[in-house]
Amino acid sequence: MNTHLRLPVVAGIGLRAPHIAQVLAERPPVAWFEVHSENYYADGGPALAALDRIRADYPLSLHGVGMSLGSTDPLDATHLSKLERLVARVEPAAVSEHLCWSGIGGRHLNDLLPLPYTEEALDHVCSRVTQVQDALRRELLVENVSSYLAFADATIPEWEFVAAVATRTGCKLLCDVNNIYVNAVNHGFDADAYLAALPGAAIAEVHLAGFDASGPCLVDTHGAPVAPDVWALYARAIARFGPRPTLIEWDTDIPAFAVLEREAATAQSIMETRDAIAA
Ligand SMILES: [Fe+2]
């Protein structure tokens, strides 16, 4: 196994099932891959075997969608132990989860729901991030989510809440620039002010994806190319924070792998342009 225990500061690609055989056969020159952790929680089988082979050649990020970090249900010990086991197996360069909740009272919802941005919720989710970091004995990357509603009782702007989670727990941030853009449009705030409020040193990864704009609000579908306005916001984020490991996510209407490679190349060129300007 290669020894990539940190993500390279270049663009990578979210690896989904339709492309795994192609990646195994062709070994494309992709800098790193990210997979959804829960897809590899089985005790064995072909998916895990394929992941072992991919990990032998590429740095890997494990991205969770099912921890329900913000829920008031107890953390799911079985879920956490499966993640611990997967982390021990593949030695990922990063482990991330969402700043959200997705279940209550033992019932699970197939969505990443926003938290009420209150001091009480902040205390609660920080204790949960700490529990997960203690169990994994490593830093967790926590990702800001897209949302279509806000809580009337919220007292803290989303960007201050996200920043406080990192500051209080020592976790890193997975800054999803598309999610910031989607929320800025849906809730009517300034995306650049959001970026300015984040602790840059904590941002260990960036996500980019496409949204759907056909309805009354933007919907974070991960089913389209990165939008021009999101590329522009990403360029301003990179100008502000410096290059960061950047991942192209595409989860519905998944295109040919070459399309993802082109999106990653665009992100890479934006980072290199920033480096050239800085030099
Ligand atoms: Fe994301």
Side-chain angles (χ1 to χ4, degrees):
M1 185 184 291
N2 66 68
T3 56
H4 295 294
L5 299 181
R6 281 181 171 274
L7 288 180
V9 187
V10 288
I13 290 174
L15 183 59
R16 305 296 182 250
H19 295 139
I20 289 175
Q22 182 182 352
V23 167
L24 288 173
E26 299 176 5
R27 295 292 199 273
V30 175
W32 57 282
F33 286 114
E34 183 166 280
V35 298
H36 288 159
S37 311
E38 290 83 358
N39 291 340
Y40 301 93
Y41 276 5
D43 289 329
L48 199 54
L51 189 67
D52 286 341
R53 291 174 60 197
I54 288 161
R55 176 64 185 91
D57 289 341
Y58 297 96
L60 190 67
S61 169
L62 293 181
H63 187 48
V65 296
M67 185 76 74
S68 197
L69 264 180
S71 175
T72 52
D73 282 354
L75 274 175
D76 183 336
T78 302
H79 187 101
L80 189 53
S81 69
K82 287 181 177 178
L83 178 59
E84 286 180 62
R85 189 174 58 177
L86 184 62
V87 167
R89 181 181 184 115
V90 304
E91 297 182 350
V95 181
S96 54
E97 250 296 347
H98 295 87
L99 190 61
C100 73
W101 63 283
S102 53
I104 189 73
R107 294 168 186 255
H108 292 274
L109 302 160
N110 190 26
D111 215 336
L112 304 172
L113 299 166
L115 292 167
Y117 298 127
T118 64
E119 291 293 341
E120 183 182 18
L122 181 58
D123 287 345
H124 175 68
V125 78
C126 284
S127 76
R128 307 261 286 193
V129 170
T130 299
Q131 283 181 61
V132 174
Q133 293 192 131
D134 288 350
L136 297 178
R137 296 177 298 282
R138 62 183 293 157
E139 285 171 342
L140 185 67
L141 279 60
V142 174
E143 177 178 356
N144 57 295
V145 295
S146 51
S147 63
Y148 315 101
L149 58 81
F151 290 86
D153 291 338
T155 56
I156 306 172
E158 180 187 328
W159 46 94
E160 289 182 16
F161 191 97
V162 171
V165 170
T167 305
R168 289 196 193 181
T169 68
C171 76
K172 297 295 191 228
L173 294 177
L174 198 178
C175 176
D176 191 313
V177 171
N178 181 61
N179 291 353
I180 292 175
Y181 181 81
V182 164
N183 288 2
V185 172
N186 288 349
H187 301 296
F189 62 69
D190 178 354
D192 289 278
Y194 191 124
L195 289 175
L198 298 180
I203 298 173
E205 184 182 336
V206 168
H207 271 178
L208 293 167
F211 56 75
D212 181 285
S214 62
C217 67
L218 301 186
V219 178
D220 177 30
T221 55
H222 292 189
V226 177
D229 283 348
V230 174
W231 282 125
L233 184 62
Y234 171 68
R236 298 198 294 280
I238 293 301
R240 176 179 292 277
F241 301 123
R244 289 291 189 275
T246 298
L247 188 90
I248 303 298
E249 297 185 288
W250 204 313
D251 291 288
T252 58
D253 295 328
I254 295 175
F257 193 74
V259 174
L260 303 182
E261 290 181 299
R262 285 199 291 275
E263 294 279 274
T266 301
Q268 187 63 35
S269 72
I270 288 171
M271 283 193 274
E272 289 171 5
T273 300
R274 188 270 186 192
D275 273 355
I277 291 170

